[in-house]
Amino acid sequence: MNCIFCQIAKKELPATIIYEDESFVAFKDINPIAPIHYLIIPKKHITSINHLELQDKELMGELFLAAKKIAKTQGIADNGYRLVFNVGKDSGQMVDHLHLHLLGGKKLLWS
Ligand code: DGP
Protein backbone atom coordinates (compact mmCIF):
# COMPACT_ATOMS: atom_id res chain seq x y z
CA MET A 1 0.00 0.00 0.00
CA ASN A 2 1.34 3.41 -0.93
CA CYS A 3 0.12 5.56 1.97
CA ILE A 4 2.14 8.67 2.81
CA PHE A 5 0.93 8.76 6.41
CA CYS A 6 1.89 5.09 6.94
CA GLN A 7 5.29 6.02 5.55
CA ILE A 8 5.57 8.97 7.95
CA ALA A 9 4.58 6.69 10.86
CA LYS A 10 7.31 4.24 9.83
CA LYS A 11 9.84 7.11 9.38
CA GLU A 12 10.22 6.27 5.71
CA LEU A 13 9.16 9.83 4.84
CA PRO A 14 10.31 12.91 6.77
CA ALA A 15 7.96 14.89 8.99
CA THR A 16 8.30 17.06 12.07
CA ILE A 17 7.06 14.59 14.65
CA ILE A 18 5.96 16.23 17.88
CA TYR A 19 4.48 13.21 19.65
CA GLU A 20 4.63 9.45 19.41
CA ASP A 21 3.42 6.54 21.47
CA GLU A 22 2.65 2.89 20.83
CA SER A 23 -0.45 3.61 18.77
CA PHE A 24 -0.15 7.17 17.39
CA VAL A 25 2.15 9.66 15.73
CA ALA A 26 1.52 13.41 15.62
CA PHE A 27 3.37 15.72 13.27
CA LYS A 28 3.21 19.24 11.86
CA ASP A 29 0.89 19.70 8.92
CA ILE A 30 2.88 20.58 5.80
CA ASN A 31 0.33 23.28 4.93
CA PRO A 32 -0.68 24.84 8.26
CA ILE A 33 -3.77 27.01 8.55
CA ALA A 34 -3.12 28.04 12.17
CA PRO A 35 0.00 28.73 14.26
CA ILE A 36 -0.41 25.23 15.67
CA HIS A 37 -1.60 22.68 13.15
CA TYR A 38 -0.78 19.07 13.87
CA LEU A 39 -2.07 15.85 12.42
CA ILE A 40 -2.56 12.95 14.81
CA ILE A 41 -2.70 9.58 13.10
CA PRO A 42 -3.10 6.00 14.26
CA LYS A 43 -0.15 3.83 13.25
CA LYS A 44 -2.73 1.31 12.10
CA HIS A 45 -3.92 2.12 8.60
CA ILE A 46 -7.59 3.11 8.66
CA THR A 47 -8.77 4.95 5.56
CA SER A 48 -11.28 7.28 7.21
CA ILE A 49 -13.98 7.52 9.85
CA ASN A 50 -16.20 5.74 7.31
CA HIS A 51 -13.92 2.72 7.57
CA LEU A 52 -13.95 2.33 11.35
CA GLU A 53 -14.85 -1.08 12.75
CA LEU A 54 -16.16 -1.93 16.20
CA GLN A 55 -12.70 -3.20 17.09
CA ASP A 56 -11.34 0.35 16.64
CA LYS A 57 -13.51 1.70 19.47
CA GLU A 58 -10.75 1.74 22.08
CA LEU A 59 -8.18 3.11 19.65
CA MET A 60 -10.44 6.05 18.83
CA GLY A 61 -10.95 6.84 22.50
CA GLU A 62 -7.19 6.80 22.94
CA LEU A 63 -6.84 9.13 19.96
CA PHE A 64 -8.84 11.81 21.77
CA LEU A 65 -6.80 11.30 24.93
CA ALA A 66 -3.61 11.74 22.87
CA ALA A 67 -5.07 14.96 21.41
CA LYS A 68 -5.82 16.24 24.90
CA LYS A 69 -2.28 15.41 26.04
CA ILE A 70 -0.69 17.10 23.01
CA ALA A 71 -2.81 20.24 23.46
CA LYS A 72 -1.67 20.43 27.06
CA THR A 73 2.02 19.90 26.31
CA GLN A 74 1.88 22.43 23.46
CA GLY A 75 0.36 25.01 25.80
CA ILE A 76 -2.97 25.53 24.05
CA ALA A 77 -5.27 23.54 26.32
CA ASP A 78 -6.41 26.55 28.35
CA ASN A 79 -7.03 28.93 25.46
CA GLY A 80 -8.71 26.23 23.42
CA TYR A 81 -8.27 24.45 20.14
CA ARG A 82 -10.19 22.72 17.40
CA LEU A 83 -10.21 19.03 16.48
CA VAL A 84 -11.33 18.15 12.96
CA PHE A 85 -11.78 14.97 10.94
CA ASN A 86 -12.36 15.32 7.22
CA VAL A 87 -14.27 12.37 5.84
CA GLY A 88 -14.53 11.73 2.12
CA LYS A 89 -14.48 13.92 -0.91
CA ASP A 90 -17.06 16.57 0.02
CA SER A 91 -15.06 17.35 3.17
CA GLY A 92 -11.85 17.81 1.20
CA GLN A 93 -10.14 14.75 2.68
CA MET A 94 -6.95 14.50 0.65
CA VAL A 95 -5.06 11.77 2.45
CA ASP A 96 -6.75 8.40 2.78
CA HIS A 97 -5.38 7.59 6.22
CA LEU A 98 -7.56 8.66 9.14
CA HIS A 99 -6.12 11.79 10.74
CA LEU A 100 -7.26 14.22 13.38
CA HIS A 101 -6.36 17.87 12.75
CA LEU A 102 -5.42 19.72 15.94
CA LEU A 103 -5.59 23.46 15.38
CA GLY A 104 -4.83 26.28 17.76
CA GLY A 105 -2.61 29.15 18.73
CA LYS A 106 -5.07 31.82 17.58
CA LYS A 107 -8.77 32.58 17.71
CA LEU A 108 -10.24 30.31 15.08
CA LEU A 109 -13.09 31.51 12.89
CA TRP A 110 -15.62 29.00 11.62
CA SER A 111 -15.11 29.38 7.87
P1 DGP B 1 -7.18 16.41 4.78
O1 DGP B 1 -7.73 17.44 3.87
O2 DGP B 1 -8.02 16.27 6.04
O3 DGP B 1 -6.95 15.07 4.11
O4 DGP B 1 -5.79 16.97 5.25
C1 DGP B 1 -4.57 16.39 4.92
C2 DGP B 1 -3.51 17.29 5.46
O5 DGP B 1 -2.30 16.60 5.33
C3 DGP B 1 -3.34 18.61 4.72
O6 DGP B 1 -3.62 19.69 5.62
C4 DGP B 1 -1.89 18.64 4.29
C5 DGP B 1 -1.27 17.52 5.06
N1 DGP B 1 -0.25 16.77 4.34
C6 DGP B 1 -0.41 16.17 3.14
N2 DGP B 1 0.74 15.54 2.79
C7 DGP B 1 1.60 15.74 3.82
C8 DGP B 1 2.95 15.32 4.04
O7 DGP B 1 3.59 14.63 3.25
N3 DGP B 1 3.52 15.73 5.20
C9 DGP B 1 2.84 16.49 6.13
N4 DGP B 1 3.50 16.83 7.23
N5 DGP B 1 1.58 16.88 5.95
C10 DGP B 1 0.98 16.51 4.80
Side-chain angles (χ1 to χ4, degrees):
M1 196 191 325
N2 196 16
C3 169
I4 54 171
F5 285 1
C6 283
Q7 289 176 289
I8 286 174
K10 289 187 215 152
K11 321 280 167 50
E12 293 168 3
L13 272 183
T16 307
I17 292 176
I18 56 96
Y19 175 84
E20 181 168 14
D21 64 23
E22 198 185 319
S23 305
F24 305 104
V25 176
F27 51 93
K28 289 188 178 179
D29 193 294
I30 207 168
N31 190 18
I33 59 166
I36 287 180
H37 187 170
Y38 302 139
L39 302 170
I40 312 170
I41 64 165
K43 290 180 176 176
K44 174 184 176 184
H45 183 86
I46 302 171
T47 301
S48 79
I49 293 283
N50 273 344
H51 298 77
L52 285 174
E53 308 276 358
L54 197 55
Q55 68 198 23
D56 299 317
K57 191 168 64 167
E58 197 172 329
L59 185 71
M60 292 306 288
E62 287 168 0
L63 175 57
F64 287 111
L65 290 173
K68 174 189 161 186
K69 192 189 291 184
I70 293 165
K72 176 106 179 142
T73 56
Q74 296 294 324
I76 58 170
D78 289 342
N79 275 354
Y81 52 94
R82 183 172 292 161
L83 297 173
V84 177
F85 289 108
N86 288 322
V87 185
K89 63 179 168 56
D90 276 2
S91 74
Q93 182 179 357
M94 294 184 305
V95 179
D96 288 337
H97 181 127
L98 187 150
H99 49 281
L100 181 57
H101 293 259
L102 190 163
L103 300 154
K106 71 169 188 180
K107 203 159 189 70
L108 298 161
L109 301 175
W110 195 252
S111 60

